[in-house]
Amino acid sequence: MNRMMDMERKVTKFGNSLGITMTDALKQIGLSQGDTVLINVNQTTGEIIIKKSTKVSLPNGISEDFMDTLTNVIEEYDQTLQGLKDR
């Protein structure tokens, strides 16, 4: 079940950086200190998507470039692929 949570936070200065705190949200998606995340910034809509990284070791003969290209194709055609799956 997908459940969206609305949160409002103030941008704060952390040393020389700007940031926000969102411990509860990170815990809800299973993140803890030291985990690696993927951040997707949509400059058009102002949306930021944070996902837990699920990087795995690739089998011999499969390059990271291939996986990056495959991921981009899957993301670009996600709705089309979902439509095919649901037929």
Side-chain angles (χ1 to χ4, degrees), residues 10-38:
K10 288 192 180 220
V11 176
T12 307
K13 190 163 177 91
F14 292 95
N16 292 328
S17 300
L18 296 176
I20 58 172
T21 59
M22 50 185 192
T23 303
D24 292 339
L26 297 177
K27 284 182 182 178
Q28 287 187 20
I29 61 170
L31 288 170
S32 59
Q33 185 174 350
D35 287 341
T36 302
V37 296
L38 301 171

